[in-house]
Amino acid sequence: MQRTLVKDALQASGPMDSILLQGWVRTRRDAKAFSFIELNDGSCLKGLQIIVDATLPDYAHVAQASTGASVAVQGRLVASQGGGQKWEVVAAQFTVLGEADATYPLQKKGHTLEFLREIAHLRPRSNLFGAVFRVRSRLAYAVHQFFQERGFCYVHTPIVTASDAEGAGDMFRVTTLDLANPPKTEQGEIDHSKDFFGKKTFLTVSGQLEAEIFATALSNVYTFGPTFRAENSHTSRHASEFWMIEPEVAFCDLAGDMDLAESFVKYLIRDAQQHCAADLEFFAKFVDKELAARLNFVLERPFQRCSYTEAVEILARSGKTWEHPVAWGDNLQSEHERYLTEEHFKCPVTVYNYPRAIKAFYMRVTDGCAPDRQTVGAMDLLVPGIGEIIGGSQREERLEHLRAGMALHHLEEKNYWWYLDLRRYGTVPHSGFGLGFERMLMFVTGVANIRDVIPFARTPGTAEF
Ligand code: 4AD
Ligand code: MG
């Protein structure tokens, strides 16, 4: 007999004579003549109530069906007597597949998120994490849907790379060299030509540079994959391994890039509301009471836009005392970003045209900017509660400007020879951005720590599981 998922059973249009369900026991309550079992199989937030009659031959097994045990139930789907749910199952056969004794850590009581992180192998069985990972799966699907509907081509950019896409140097090395006894050159330095790939290699920080190759051939492309940062950031918004979505669009300028980013973020929110309504209700009830109102508010209004220079003036006029005082030329810190989006604009805001020196080498120098206040066509989308969720830019398509940018950032041209070729042969204006998938999930679920929206968090000092 074929298994029915709880989600489908709960949506049944009428009673059924025989149905097979398999899942895990959330709770069991024993009365004199029956036991009530709440069965959950992860297909949706809700469980299905199973009634096992004490006269059933299999009733002897019920005692082993403790919280956490896996069970199979075959029986009748009938209209529920009690309130709260439409259907329940009256068991005809009841089997315990795998017991779980009293040491099972997810007994029915509230656990802290910190504790649940320590049992990341079991936490998907909790209501909260089941909901988070269903939303994660749905939004991954929606990412592809958004771009495929718009004629974008999905490009698989490499995970192992020799180039530093951000030019920031916070990369994890990939090597098969014997660390205790590495091959040496005659000068006594480590001989990287003897390494697996014949050169120094790393885990990628971004697929952007390779996406640019494809955008200058296929016009509209996107990547969606894991990226890695070896920054020693201990915050609730940084992970060492995270997933990033990076569209890259030929013949598109910074304004077009900001428009695409805004419609993408709104599309993902709408998709989650449509397809994960029960899970979002759960977050709104137990995680973040403001969630529903905030998401609706964000959908209804156009995102605000303000230049970096205006942003610095707003911060200076705010009357706030900043932990990091900000003057033109400084990077915006999290406290500044959050002030702009949460207190000043009270809305998502895209800050654009940042000082050249604090942004990546590949960003396009703004036409007509003052020589002593050079800016590049960068844009960061900031959202309430999180801060930066998207970083993007118009790319420098002019060869000489790009070379100057590389010199400014002390990058060697020989490491980027193919990237420079894109400007030598049929160069075009083009733009793109990166959306941090986990930060988007935090925004949509209200979950405050990045460690709780990724199945197995990699952060400095932790790589369990
Ligand atoms: O601003 P970032 O570093 O931009 C890039 O990597 C560009 N190459 C993207 C592009 O233009 N194609 O990163 C983009 C986004 C950030 O806005 C943030 O949402 C997320 O990636 N992000 C992180 N998320 C989690 N943990 C980290 N350590 C992150 N670093 C960046
Ligand atoms: Mg950024």
Side-chain angles (χ1 to χ4, degrees):
M1 184 176 193
Q2 211 188 331
R3 172 193 187 194
T4 302
L5 292 174
V6 168
K7 173 178 144 204
D8 297 325
L10 288 171
Q11 284 170 2
S13 51
M16 291 162 82
D17 285 342
S18 183
I19 186 171
L20 171 67
L21 293 138
Q22 295 163 327
W24 294 268
V25 174
R26 277 297 171 79
T27 55
R28 190 185 86 223
R29 193 159 50 83
D30 297 328
K32 251 211 188 94
F34 332 84
S35 284
F36 298 100
I37 286 170
E38 194 202 335
L39 180 93
N40 186 290
D41 66 3
S43 59
C44 62
L45 186 67
K46 280 200 151 181
L48 190 58
Q49 174 157 277
I50 312 290
I51 299 167
V52 192
D53 194 300
T55 60
L56 207 70
D58 286 348
Y59 192 73
H61 304 148
V62 164
Q64 293 138 33
S66 320
T67 297
S70 52
V71 299
V73 185
Q74 187 259 308
R76 281 182 300 127
L77 186 76
V78 301
S80 179
Q81 306 296 306
Q85 60 177 343
K86 200 166 158 210
W87 301 110
E88 60 193 19
V89 170
V90 179
Q93 281 174 24
F94 183 85
T95 322
V96 175
L97 302 169
E99 292 180 39
D101 67 16
T103 62
Y104 179 63
L106 287 176
Q107 301 295 339
K108 186 115 187 159
K109 63 176 162 110
H111 295 290
T112 65
L113 292 172
E114 289 76 12
F115 170 72
L116 290 167
R117 270 173 226 149
E118 290 170 17
I119 52 162
H121 60 309
L122 295 172
R123 70 177 183 170
R125 298 191 200 177
S126 67
N127 280 336
L128 175 68
F129 286 96
V132 165
F133 295 127
R134 277 188 299 272
V135 172
R136 186 175 171 113
S137 166
R138 176 67 216 184
L139 284 192
Y141 181 74
V143 164
H144 289 293
Q145 200 163 275
F146 176 85
F147 288 112
Q148 298 285 338
E149 279 170 357
R150 284 159 184 73
F152 281 62
C153 200
Y154 180 31
V155 181
H156 295 119
T157 52
I159 288 174
V160 175
T161 176
S163 46
D164 182 353
E166 289 299 293
D170 43 10
M171 302 178 85
F172 290 101
R173 273 295 295 282
V174 173
T175 180
T176 53
L177 292 181
D178 179 356
L179 293 183
N181 187 20
K184 297 272 175 70
T185 60
E186 281 173 10
Q187 288 76 36
E189 284 163 0
I190 295 180
D191 185 357
H192 297 292
S193 73
K194 299 265 163 55
D195 205 344
F196 192 88
F197 295 104
K199 51 163 59 179
K200 264 186 160 175
T201 49
F202 308 88
L203 295 179
T204 188
V205 294
S206 155
Q208 179 195 321
L209 305 193
E210 292 89 353
E212 285 184 57
I213 294 178
F214 275 78
T216 53
L218 307 182
S219 288
N220 298 339
V221 304
Y222 68 106
T223 71
F224 182 12
T227 49
F228 307 85
R229 305 263 166 119
E231 3 164 48
N232 201 13
S233 300
H234 298 259
T235 80
S236 57
R237 298 179 309 281
H238 287 88
S240 314
E241 174 178 332
F242 62 98
W243 284 60
M244 185 155 48
I245 298 116
E246 297 182 276
E248 194 66 37
V249 188
F251 311 101
C252 175
D253 62 11
L254 189 65
D257 203 30
M258 294 195 265
D259 291 343
L260 182 68
E262 177 168 347
S263 44
F264 183 38
V265 166
K266 289 183 169 172
Y267 183 97
L268 294 181
I269 295 173
R270 249 183 248 114
D271 187 274
Q273 286 182 331
Q274 272 166 19
H275 297 279
C276 307
D279 291 328
L280 290 201
E281 258 172 52
F282 177 83
F283 301 131
K285 206 163 161 197
F286 294 106
V287 177
D288 179 355
K289 299 258 185 288
E290 321 270 285
L291 182 68
R294 190 167 63 245
L295 294 180
N296 286 328
F297 177 80
V298 164
L299 284 180
E300 280 157 16
R301 299 187 30 168
F303 294 179
Q304 302 296 299
R305 289 180 190 177
C306 106
S307 71
Y308 167 89
T309 303
E310 287 161 346
V312 170
E313 283 160 10
I314 290 168
L315 295 168
R317 282 199 312 263
S318 69
K320 296 244 166 191
T321 18
W322 303 108
E323 198 187 322
H324 309 270
V326 59
W328 200 96
D330 296 336
N331 243 325
L332 299 184
Q333 303 293 327
S334 170
E335 55 173 336
H336 309 127
E337 295 181 341
R338 297 194 53 173
Y339 172 80
L340 290 169
T341 174
E342 286 164 20
E343 294 182 53
H344 185 81
F345 290 104
K346 298 192 169 62
C347 170
V349 54
T350 310
V351 181
Y352 61 91
N353 286 359
Y354 282 76
R356 189 180 192 187
I358 58 169
K359 285 291 184 181
F361 70 95
Y362 53 70
M363 296 184 178
R364 191 180 194 280
V365 177
T366 314
D367 292 326
C369 62
D372 59 333
R373 278 202 170 191
Q374 277 203 329
T375 59
V376 286
M379 61 107 171
D380 279 0
L381 173 60
L382 315 176
V383 299
I386 296 171
E388 179 190 338
I389 163 167
I390 281 180
S393 62
Q394 182 165 350
R395 321 306 188 189
E396 185 54 84
E397 84 282 13
R398 301 160 297 185
L399 182 61
E400 290 317 313
H401 283 81
L402 179 59
R403 297 175 82 169
M406 292 177 65
L408 187 74
H409 288 88
H410 309 291
L411 299 174
E412 284 189 65
E413 286 192 16
K414 71 170 173 36
N415 296 336
Y416 295 89
W417 64 272
W418 49 267
Y419 190 68
L420 290 161
D421 264 5
L422 301 180
R423 279 71 182 167
R424 289 193 180 101
Y425 306 121
T427 190
V428 292
H430 61 289
S431 303
F433 63 79
L435 168 71
F437 189 49
E438 286 74 23
R439 296 214 184 152
M440 185 67 207
L441 284 167
M442 291 167 72
F443 191 58
V444 167
T445 60
V447 169
N449 197 309
I450 196 164
R451 293 166 181 78
D452 301 325
V453 294
I454 189 162
F456 305 102
R458 299 293 178 251
T459 50
T462 17
E464 193 67 48
F465 305 102

